[in-house]
Amino acid sequence: MPCLPCAGLCGEPILKEGRARWYAPDRASDSDLPQLRVHNSLTDDIDLFLPVSNRTVTWYLCGPTVYDACHMGHARAYLTFDILRRLMEDYFHYNILYQVNITDVDDKIILRARQNKLFNEYKAAAVSANNYKAVESYVAAAMSAMRNKLENKVTELEEPLPEGTPAKQIEKRSEALAEAKFKVDQFAEAEAGVKEATTIETILVPSRDAVAAQLDKEKGATVTDPKIFEDHARRFEREFHEDMASLGVREPDVVTRVTEYIPPIVEYIAGIIKNEFAYESNGSVYFDTNAFKGEGHDYRKLKPGTETSAEEMAEGEGALIGGSSEKKHPNDFALWKASKPGEPSWESPWGNGRPGWHIECSVMASDIIGENIDIHGGGVDLMFPHHDNEMAQAEAYHQCGQWVNYFLHAGHLHIKGLKMSKSLKNFITIRQALEEHSARQLRLMFLMQPWDKPMNYSDQTVDDAKAKEKYFKNFFGAVKSVLRTDFVSERQGWTPSDRSLREALLKAQESVHASLCDNMKTYEAIQILVDLVQDCNKYLTAEDKPKNLLIKKVAIYVTKMLRVFGLIEGGDEIGFGESSSAGGSKETVVAPFVDAFVEFREKVRTAAKSKSGPSEFLSHCDEVRDSTLANLGIRVEDSTETSVWKMDDPEVIRKEVEEKKQKAAEAASKKARAKVDRLEGDLTKAKNAAVTPTEMFKTGSHAEKWGSYDDNGKPTTTRDGEPLPKSQLKSITKEQKNQEKAHAKLVKAAGEKGIDAYIADLEKEIEGLKINLV
């Protein structure tokens, strides 16, 4: 029988060339729904978003497989969907049910937990036995096996694909080959580390992965305690939730774990078997892709028209799956895996086993949301096989033609040209990233990129985000400075420049709305806000008396949008909220600021009593600006006419002060070096000029050249008694006249203290400057 759409969907599908059938939701009765269009992976087009139930939206997001620390590739997905969710909840005002799953049983978790246990036991025993030669021999065998595995993978991927292979499959093969070669290069670094090692502890660091894999191959089946796998998963699940909180990601409405859904999963699989879309084989259960397609269903909706490659099947089935011989067709995938020794297992009608990877999401989303989902989200790397197989399972179970209405996929995060991933070991954990950058800066970095396209993680992308953050901070500070003035005493009404700023605000509001309605283009919206801030800054610079109420309106709108994007928490009307109110009494709140003022006042009084000059007063002013107020989170910006204060993170201000001091020190050092060079030149000239004109030809190297002199000290004969020619006498006369001028100038410069003291002072000054240069 032909498959039918679920309730709430149009009866006739939309057919696009090269795509699976897509049933658009019926237009809701709520005519006030926004004209929001989103990139729907099911059509690979920008489609009008229509929830099945007016403003209520159901949203399922693939959560983490909790086998290791989360990295920035995960942040790309979860921050991206947090931004989209906030837009839909806080800007478009949809009521969202947001569900996230936790995959806490999986081949990766099983392998990592087993290998960690076996490696730690091996290391403890090796250190205790203290037999370096034995460890060295075992490491060599493990490293050799690992190299062979990596090189074999490269060789396999270098095999030419059949003629007529689709371009996308060729591209994916090329990417896989680049990643495989990258792993070989990385492994060479590990081999170099092994060669340099001299102790058991040091040799096991670079060889850890190879040794763990070898130990698992030999002893993995002996790890039978289910708590080992559970404890491993819970540890990284907790870290995941902590990382999401650190990034400012909103908590989901529902979290579901695979291990808490085993009975419903078994029941669900039984339902698919009953509907004749799955079969049991050797204790495992497989989805029958041919039977599914034979009943009129579309399979591979997200990547239609492409044959499933061996690499894709391996990715979907996991490292611990059995051979393909027990399947009816190579493209059939596991719903239930018969467990082998060393794997956790649960009872089922087909024998002890565990769920396949894809079935968990179909079951948990169906339980919480039902037989139709408005939005399903995840990383683009999950598109096939995971998401395609999810939909196939659910549509086979519910016997409908469309389980998901809109599939949203966040683009890859690349680093140095490759996808950031744990398998490539080219990742930066979320916690490492947050040591260098704030959560706001990372969020802003993602906001400045298309959410559905690949992006690079680099110093440039982060620096761009930091520059934008600083631009907004300075704007808010400038606005608050103006708002502290008494606007009531000023002239009201609007000037032409006031009207122009108002028009710029209206235009920005319209443009931001249009960008957000068009596939939630936050990168366009951020730039529009930057342009609006630029217009307002120009207005503030040009106007002697800017209108408080007008610039306040601009700042409130910018703040509102940044809050919608998740860049601002708290209820401050304007700005990022660094001035969040502290608890306690009024005295507790104002005490640090009053203390700072009283301390400054005391220093000024002391300086005044001692009749100090202006420099000491200015020094105290600089100290209170660069130290006292900076530590209180107040930035003071001086200009020729006045000073403006702004609130900011104390650490940021202190860093700016240190950078300013560093630049000033570098400039002073450069200036001092130039002065030393100049003084050393003066010293050389002074020493040369110190010789009197009558003695200049009788000292140093000159004394060896001449035989006799006249009354003025000029040579008349050579050392051999030969008279000097007229041309040489003329030259000697010229030299002596130059010396007379230089000597006279030096005598004048030395004054009463004399030439020797003058030269000594120069030498002393140079020595002092050189000490400060070090």
Side-chain angles (χ1 to χ4, degrees):
M1 68 174 191
C3 59
L4 299 173
C6 298
L9 304 180
C10 295
E12 292 299 319
I14 294 174
L15 299 174
K16 296 185 179 181
E17 185 177 354
R19 305 302 303 181
R21 290 167 292 182
W22 180 62
Y23 297 90
D26 286 328
R27 178 167 291 279
S29 58
D30 188 344
S31 60
D32 292 330
L33 285 178
Q35 295 298 298
L36 170 63
R37 306 181 74 86
V38 297
H39 180 197
N40 182 7
S41 298
L42 288 164
T43 62
D44 195 25
D45 204 351
I46 309 299
D47 294 321
L48 181 65
F49 177 70
L50 293 170
V52 169
S53 184
N54 291 331
R55 285 190 172 270
T56 298
V57 175
T58 55
W59 192 329
Y60 181 84
L61 181 67
C62 280
T65 300
V66 285
Y67 75 100
D68 203 345
C70 286
H71 56 67
M72 285 303 296
H74 298 110
R76 166 61 165 162
Y78 298 118
L79 263 176
T80 292
F81 287 113
D82 183 71
I83 290 166
L84 301 186
R85 175 191 180 187
R86 286 171 181 265
L87 282 171
M88 294 189 71
E89 286 184 329
D90 300 347
Y91 186 81
F92 293 113
H93 304 297
Y94 286 106
N95 301 313
I96 294 177
L97 171 62
Y98 198 78
Q99 179 186 0
V100 175
N101 80 294
I102 300 292
T103 299
D104 59 347
V105 58
D106 175 84
D107 290 19
K108 293 177 181 177
I109 295 171
I110 295 167
L111 282 170
R112 185 61 59 87
R114 281 194 329 212
Q115 290 178 3
N116 283 354
K117 178 182 186 298
L118 294 170
F119 179 84
N120 291 337
E121 289 176 348
Y122 175 82
K123 181 179 178 181
V127 170
S128 177
N130 197 26
N131 186 343
Y132 182 76
K133 288 293 182 184
V135 174
E136 186 180 38
S137 176
Y138 191 83
V139 166
M143 294 292 284
S144 177
M146 179 67 79
R147 174 164 278 282
N148 287 338
K149 180 180 178 182
L150 294 173
E151 289 179 342
N152 289 341
K153 187 64 177 178
V154 171
T155 302
E156 175 189 328
L157 292 171
E158 285 178 334
E159 287 292 322
L161 290 167
E163 190 174 343
T165 300
K168 285 188 177 180
Q169 197 167 331
I170 293 173
E171 182 183 352
K172 189 161 185 176
R173 169 65 73 88
S174 178
E175 290 174 358
L177 178 59
E179 291 177 0
K181 288 181 177 179
F182 182 75
K183 289 180 182 179
V184 172
D185 292 340
Q186 280 186 325
F187 189 70
E189 296 176 11
E191 289 174 320
V194 168
K195 287 180 181 179
E196 293 172 1
T198 56
T199 66
I200 291 174
E201 288 85 352
T202 55
I203 199 172
L204 288 176
V205 172
S207 65
R208 179 185 175 107
D209 289 350
V211 169
Q214 187 65 24
L215 288 168
D216 190 75
K217 183 178 179 181
E218 296 169 357
K219 302 179 180 180
T222 66
V223 181
T224 57
D225 184 359
K227 199 169 187 309
I228 292 169
F229 309 110
E230 181 182 350
D231 289 349
H232 184 92
R234 289 296 165 268
R235 172 194 167 189
F236 290 108
E237 179 186 349
R238 185 174 299 280
E239 284 192 13
F240 166 74
H241 288 301
E242 290 169 353
D243 288 345
M244 293 302 102
S246 297
L247 290 172
V249 173
R250 279 182 181 168
E251 293 178 338
D253 299 309
V254 187
V255 173
T256 47
R257 290 193 189 113
V258 180
T259 54
E260 296 171 351
Y261 265 80
I262 301 300
I265 287 173
V266 170
E267 183 181 339
Y268 201 94
I269 293 172
I272 297 175
I273 293 174
K274 182 181 178 182
N275 292 339
E276 300 182 350
F277 293 120
Y279 57 91
E280 185 271 339
S281 178
N282 295 332
S284 295
V285 178
Y286 293 94
F287 189 85
D288 193 332
T289 52
N290 281 339
F292 185 67
K293 290 185 287 187
E295 286 295 316
H297 288 274
D298 293 318
Y299 179 60
R300 293 200 65 154
K301 288 186 172 185
L302 296 170
K303 289 193 174 181
T306 305
E307 287 300 317
T308 305
S309 66
E311 291 91 346
E312 289 173 326
M313 280 307 304
E315 180 184 349
E317 296 296 70
L320 301 175
I321 192 66
S324 60
S325 60
E326 59 188 35
K327 301 180 185 180
K328 290 183 179 179
H329 189 277
N331 289 352
D332 295 350
F333 55 89
L335 304 180
W336 184 262
K337 299 179 180 180
S339 288
K340 298 184 289 294
E343 299 177 10
S345 66
W346 290 264
E347 293 180 355
S348 81
W350 318 287
N352 285 357
R354 56 192 175 87
W357 175 27
H358 318 297
I359 193 66
E360 62 185 67
C361 292
S362 303
V363 176
M364 293 187 288
S366 293
D367 176 56
I368 299 298
I369 295 175
E371 66 176 25
N372 183 250
I373 301 173
D374 288 311
I375 298 175
H376 192 320
V380 69
D381 54 321
L382 299 177
M383 191 176 286
F384 185 85
H386 185 54
H387 289 156
D388 267 322
N389 289 352
E390 265 190 70
M391 288 188 288
Q393 294 163 160
E395 288 164 12
Y397 178 80
H398 295 295
Q399 299 193 72
C400 69
Q402 184 166 298
W403 184 53
V404 175
N405 297 339
Y406 298 87
F407 231 123
L408 310 186
H409 285 100
H412 276 314
L413 185 69
H414 289 101
I415 182 167
K416 295 181 180 179
L418 291 173
K419 180 185 77 171
M420 187 181 288
S421 71
K422 289 196 178 80
S423 65
L424 294 178
K425 299 179 185 175
N426 65 343
F427 62 90
I428 298 167
T429 68
I430 291 173
R431 297 183 183 206
Q432 289 170 333
L434 287 172
E435 289 175 2
E436 299 293 328
H437 320 293
S438 70
R440 181 192 296 145
Q441 289 162 354
L442 295 177
R443 180 180 288 265
L444 188 52
M445 176 183 68
F446 291 127
L447 280 161
M448 291 165 60
Q449 308 291 329
W451 64 267
D452 54 346
K453 298 288 190 296
M455 67 167 284
N456 287 316
Y457 182 82
S458 65
D459 290 341
Q460 181 180 345
T461 53
V462 178
D463 288 346
D464 287 347
K466 288 182 176 180
K468 290 291 190 297
E469 178 194 42
K470 187 173 182 179
Y471 194 67
F472 285 123
K473 276 186 176 181
N474 287 337
F475 166 67
F476 291 136
V479 169
K480 288 179 179 180
S481 177
V482 173
L483 295 184
R484 286 192 287 271
T485 62
D486 179 16
F487 85 94
V488 176
S489 63
E490 302 296 339
R491 185 179 180 86
Q492 303 301 310
W494 273 358
T495 64
S497 59
D498 297 333
R499 297 179 191 278
S500 295
L501 181 59
R502 166 61 175 164
E503 287 302 313
L505 172 60
L506 290 175
K507 182 181 177 182
Q509 290 172 327
E510 292 171 359
S511 299
V512 165
H513 183 72
S515 292
L516 297 181
C517 285
D518 183 14
N519 196 33
M520 294 185 271
K521 292 179 178 175
T522 57
Y523 60 97
E524 286 187 355
I526 290 292
Q527 188 56 51
I528 293 165
L529 293 178
V530 167
D531 293 342
L532 174 61
V533 167
Q534 186 178 48
D535 289 337
C536 194
N537 284 338
K538 290 177 180 177
Y539 168 82
L540 289 171
T541 303
E543 290 295 305
D544 292 332
K545 302 294 182 181
K547 298 299 190 301
N548 287 34
L549 298 178
L550 179 58
I551 64 169
K552 183 177 182 181
K553 191 175 185 68
V554 173
I556 287 174
Y557 173 69
V558 174
T559 302
K560 169 193 167 185
M561 291 312 305
L562 296 185
R563 181 177 286 113
V564 166
F565 294 147
L567 294 169
I568 297 175
E569 297 293 339
D572 284 23
E573 190 176 35
I574 293 174
F576 285 123
E578 284 83 3
S579 58
S580 56
S581 59
S585 64
K586 180 178 180 181
E587 181 178 348
T588 303
V589 174
V590 303
F593 303 94
V594 175
D595 287 344
F597 174 75
V598 171
E599 181 184 357
F600 174 67
R601 178 177 179 274
E602 198 59 36
K603 289 180 179 179
V604 170
R605 291 179 71 231
T606 301
K609 288 177 182 178
S610 62
K611 299 182 179 179
S612 301
S615 61
E616 185 170 347
F617 287 98
L618 290 174
S619 175
H620 291 316
C621 290
D622 290 345
E623 182 184 3
V624 78
R625 176 195 65 199
D626 296 339
S627 178
T628 310
L629 293 178
N631 291 329
L632 292 170
I634 299 173
R635 178 192 288 106
V636 177
E637 297 177 352
D638 294 327
S639 65
T640 54
E641 297 179 359
T642 185
S643 297
V644 174
W645 65 267
K646 303 172 182 178
M647 300 295 291
D648 205 339
D649 181 355
E651 188 60 36
V652 172
I653 303 174
R654 283 193 291 266
K655 187 176 179 181
E656 289 177 358
V657 170
E658 287 304 312
E659 289 175 352
K660 185 178 178 182
K661 287 181 179 177
Q662 181 66 26
K663 288 180 180 178
E666 290 173 358
S669 178
K670 186 177 180 180
K671 186 177 180 181
R673 179 74 263 175
K675 187 174 182 180
V676 167
D677 293 342
R678 178 176 58 79
L679 290 176
E680 285 181 335
D682 291 346
L683 179 62
T684 300
K685 290 178 182 178
K687 286 181 177 180
N688 291 334
V691 181
T692 62
T694 56
E695 295 297 318
M696 66 178 291
F697 294 109
K698 300 177 182 179
T699 59
S701 60
H702 290 293
E704 303 295 326
K705 296 170 65 176
W706 318 116
S708 60
Y709 305 87
D710 65 12
D711 293 341
N712 293 321
K714 289 187 290 186
T716 56
T717 63
T718 66
R719 189 170 183 77
D720 297 332
E722 293 291 330
L724 299 179
K726 289 183 178 181
S727 60
Q728 193 170 6
L729 287 172
K730 185 177 180 181
S731 177
I732 287 171
T733 301
K734 185 178 181 180
E735 280 187 63
Q736 193 176 55
K737 284 184 178 180
N738 288 337
Q739 184 70 7
E740 286 176 1
K741 291 178 183 178
H743 186 74
K745 186 177 180 182
L746 175 62
V747 169
K748 184 178 180 181
E752 295 182 359
K753 62 183 176 181
I755 292 174
D756 290 343
Y758 177 79
I759 290 175
D761 286 348
L762 273 178
E763 290 175 332
K764 186 177 180 180
E765 185 178 2
I766 290 169
E767 198 61 34
L769 286 170
K770 284 184 175 180
I771 291 172
N772 292 330
L773 285 177
V774 176

